[in-house]
Amino acid sequence: MTLGQNIQAARKNKGFSQEALAEQVGVSRQALGKWEKDTALPSLDNLQALAAALDVSVDSLLGTAQPGGAPEPTLTLDALRALLDARDAEKRRRSWIWGGAAAGAVLLLLAGLIGVVWQYDRQVQVLQAGYSGMQAQFSRTQSELTAQIEELQAAVRQGEATVLNWDWQPTGRVVHDLDGSWVPVSVAVTPRTDSDGMTGQLVLVHQGGRYDGTTELLDMTPGADGVYRVDRGIVFTIGETVDLSVRWKSAAGTVTNEPLGTVPCTEEAFRPLFAWSGSSDSLAYGYRTRKEGGATMLTLTCYPVELEVDVPARMEVQSVVVELRLDGTAGEPTATAELECLGWSESGDRRTAVYNGTFYNETAKNGWPYQGGTVDFVVRLTDANGNTWTNTRPLTER
């Protein structure tokens, strides 16, 4: 056993705590703790104080006691006191014995010092071996930390934004069928960095609607403009929410995922809304009929047309046209007025503009031939993708 283990065993045998023993020896608990852990060595005075406090010999602490209880020559406090008492007695009785006692004391002291030095040398060797082991462990730990740091740096690099921008667009009108309402859409994603051999996939997670709980993984096609697109195969159903993310794969096989956003699918999110108004008299749209040369002619009570168009912010309006239909919405329109935009205003995810125009022209000043039936205004809005939305306003005879 080591010196520290012997001190600890003797302390526990006496029932002392580290604090109690340290107080008796006159040192701090931390110092005693270091002795017991063999990370520090007590001085000779402290070693003797420990032996006295623990009621053991220095030999026992140093581990130099012989089997059977016969200690090797060493110096203890009791032995030293006995030698000094004997020295004084001999000096009073016979002075010549003093020299022998002194010589014996010196020999004993030398023997004790030799034993202590030998023990210290052993402890130094143990500490040197421990230090070498600690150095090896430190080198291994440093290598492990370096590898972990490199992994973290790679994770941080992968956490950088890979998407410059993205967008989705309806590619057709909202369709109503027996299973509900849906609309085809396209998605375009622009990567921040495009590399040779890189591929992209679009991940869609549907929540609610007919595809609730399903996940789609669609390949994206890179364009000459560097934009990756999915133009077909995507359907959003009215009433669902779709979470979109992108998965990039480099030529080396490295995969990076990044969320794009969430699309709440309501019918208003896909189609424009129309609000009709009159130019002089609010909602004054109507018609009159009269006989002329045996024929019935129809004229409008309000030739100017004005309406407010409310569209999703991502919709780019190409044209707004109002048709006059004298026999329902079927067939060719009787007259057409292309409306002009008076300017857009944006609020949240919607944009609003006022469009106006007129049906009045030289050919229509006497009206249009009318054979009876419904009379309607039909507005047709066409977006930049060629999609068309319509809205009908019936006219009444006034």
Side-chain angles (χ1 to χ4, degrees):
M1 295 177 62
T2 65
L3 174 61
Q5 292 172 338
N6 289 335
I7 294 174
Q8 186 181 60
R11 173 178 63 78
K12 290 183 177 179
N13 187 51
K14 291 290 291 183
F16 287 163
S17 65
Q18 284 188 339
E19 290 81 356
L21 180 58
E23 184 177 355
Q24 289 195 33
V25 177
V27 296
S28 66
R29 184 191 63 79
Q30 289 79 4
L32 180 62
K34 291 181 179 180
W35 297 346
E36 291 188 354
K37 292 179 181 178
D38 290 312
T39 57
L41 293 174
S43 65
L44 182 59
D45 292 339
N46 289 332
L47 188 63
Q48 292 175 336
L50 280 170
L54 295 172
D55 197 21
V56 296
S57 67
V58 173
D59 306 274
S60 298
L61 294 180
L62 292 176
T64 58
Q66 294 285 347
E72 292 180 353
T74 186
L75 183 64
T76 66
L77 289 177
D78 292 336
L80 183 60
R81 291 192 185 98
L83 289 173
L84 292 175
D85 291 340
R87 180 201 61 187
D88 293 337
E90 276 307 287
K91 185 178 181 180
R92 288 192 298 271
R93 288 181 296 139
R94 291 181 300 177
S95 58
W96 65 270
I97 297 178
W98 165 247
V106 169
L107 291 176
L108 289 175
L109 181 60
L110 287 175
L113 288 175
I114 291 172
V116 171
V117 169
W118 176 81
Q119 182 63 27
Y120 266 79
D121 184 64
R122 282 186 55 194
Q123 293 298 323
V124 169
Q125 292 176 0
V126 171
L127 290 176
Q128 286 178 337
Y131 177 71
S132 299
M134 289 175 61
Q135 280 187 319
Q137 180 63 35
F138 177 77
S139 298
R140 290 192 297 269
T141 303
Q142 190 175 33
S143 299
E144 293 173 358
L145 288 175
T146 301
Q148 292 175 3
I149 289 172
E150 290 177 353
E151 291 178 1
L152 289 174
Q153 288 175 339
V156 169
R157 287 193 296 270
Q158 291 182 359
E160 294 176 352
T162 63
V163 175
L164 188 62
N165 55 57
W166 74 282
D167 191 19
W168 65 273
Q169 293 284 349
T171 58
R173 296 177 55 186
V174 177
V175 179
H176 304 278
D177 57 25
L178 295 178
D179 294 326
S181 302
W182 56 273
V183 62
V185 301
S186 65
V187 175
V189 182
T190 304
R192 184 174 297 277
T193 303
D194 193 8
S195 59
D196 292 338
M198 186 175 79
T199 60
Q201 290 181 313
L202 185 68
V203 183
L204 300 95
V205 179
H206 299 268
Q207 300 178 18
R210 69 175 72 179
Y211 303 120
D212 183 33
T214 62
T215 299
E216 294 184 86
L217 189 61
L218 304 175
D219 292 332
M220 294 190 294
T221 302
D225 56 358
V227 179
Y228 285 67
R229 293 181 175 87
V230 178
D231 293 325
R232 295 184 179 182
I234 303 178
V235 171
F236 288 174
T237 58
I238 304 303
E240 74 170 345
T241 298
V242 182
D243 293 327
L244 296 95
S245 60
V246 66
R247 178 177 298 172
W248 305 111
K249 186 175 182 180
S250 68
T254 302
V255 176
T256 305
N257 298 285
E258 182 171 346
L260 297 177
T262 299
V263 177
C265 303
T266 61
E267 190 161 354
E268 289 74 15
F270 299 100
R271 66 179 178 87
L273 305 175
F274 304 95
W276 295 82
S277 61
S279 59
S280 59
D281 185 11
S282 178
L283 300 180
Y285 299 126
Y287 67 93
R288 298 187 181 94
T289 59
R290 62 184 175 83
K291 294 292 184 178
E292 183 178 327
T296 301
M297 302 296 292
L298 180 143
T299 58
L300 299 175
T301 59
C302 182
Y303 282 86
V305 179
E306 183 176 281
L307 58 85
E308 183 180 274
V309 176
D310 182 348
V311 301
R314 59 176 40 85
M315 181 181 293
E316 184 179 347
V317 178
Q318 193 72 29
S319 65
V320 178
V321 175
V322 176
E323 300 170 348
L324 173 63
R325 293 182 175 268
L326 301 185
D327 190 12
T329 58
E332 294 295 325
T334 300
T336 300
E338 185 167 355
L339 307 188
E340 181 181 356
C341 178
L342 301 183
W344 288 97
S345 62
E346 190 164 341
S347 176
D349 57 355
R350 306 286 295 186
R351 295 194 303 146
T352 304
V354 174
Y355 279 80
N356 65 14
T358 183
F359 280 95
Y360 184 80
N361 55 53
E362 289 297 322
T363 61
K365 61 182 179 180
N366 293 323
W368 299 273
Y370 178 60
Q371 297 178 356
T374 60
V375 180
D376 300 299
F377 278 158
V378 178
V379 60
R380 290 185 176 276
L381 183 149
T382 304
D383 67 10
N385 294 323
N387 303 308
T388 301
W389 285 265
T390 63
N391 182 263
T392 301
R393 174 175 174 76
L395 303 184
T396 59
E397 189 172 6
R398 296 175 184 272

